[in-house]
Amino acid sequence: DVQRSKDTYLRLNTVVPPDTDLTVWPESALPAYITSYPGLEDVAAEGARQTKGHLLIGTLEQLDEAYYNAARLYNADGKIVDRYHKNDLLIFGEYVPLRDKLPCLRDYPLRNTDLTPGSERKLFDIKGVRVAPLICFEATFPRQTREVCREGAEVLAFLTSDAWAQNTPEVAQHSFTASMRAVESRRWVLRAATTGRSALYTPYGEVVQEI
């Protein structure tokens, strides 16, 4: 529900402490194509202006004929300053292999149009700190974390939505992988989740705060 998401995140933003450098909304926080759904761009901009700092959000983007699972970074003025397109897509969740060759897969019920993988990792500069966004499935495995750390990431930001796995052990399992990524990389980890654990982890995997 797009309207409910808009209302919820703008309401939650009102409790962000003053002078917060970075606020993170999870994957699919705005659950429609932000580039084509009326008003969503304005919601993201308003959210950034509310926090008076940087806002990192998860959403969907359509650029030309390509569709992306995206992380967008806004500054305190509500201007988009950078974006990341998810590189590693979830099979049968974000794309269907051989859809064009097997007629039985053309109308796969979860998604009619395959998402497009991004072509590069990104580091966002937030007041001189290099923050690397990874989206959902990408944060489950160590390779992706190693790649962004080799490029100079100082903080890892994991944006995820496990709504599809509600009331199953998968939600807890996915949540617990964040502490492992922190220990492996010796980096601070921010995890923002629509379902499951949202938390801040030290480079030793310790939970500083969670919800």
Side-chain angles (χ1 to χ4, degrees), residues 46-120:
E46 182 181 350
R49 289 191 293 267
Q50 272 186 332
T51 67
K52 298 181 174 61
H54 284 85
L55 176 66
L56 175 58
I57 71 166
T59 188
L60 298 169
E61 281 189 340
Q62 179 183 357
L63 300 175
D64 297 322
E65 298 301 315
Y67 301 86
Y68 298 99
N69 189 346
R72 283 179 152 213
L73 182 67
Y74 292 80
N75 65 17
D77 295 323
K79 306 294 185 184
I80 182 169
V81 292
D82 214 338
R83 57 165 50 86
Y84 167 69
H85 292 150
K86 186 178 181 183
N87 285 199
D88 303 290
L89 301 179
L90 180 63
I91 189 171
F92 291 111
E94 294 172 313
Y95 75 99
V96 179
L98 302 177
R99 187 200 293 267
D100 58 337
K101 295 182 172 60
L102 298 178
C104 62
L105 294 177
R106 287 174 189 161
D107 295 319
Y108 184 72
L110 183 62
R111 187 180 299 280
N112 292 326
T113 302
D114 291 339
L115 296 185
T116 304
S119 59
E120 61 178 344

Side-chain angles (χ1 to χ4, degrees), residues 179 197-202 204-211:
S179 59
R197 175 183 283 184
S198 295
L200 171 65
Y201 299 86
T202 74
Y204 298 95
E206 301 161 329
V207 177
V208 178
Q209 290 285 348
E210 69 174 337
I211 189 171

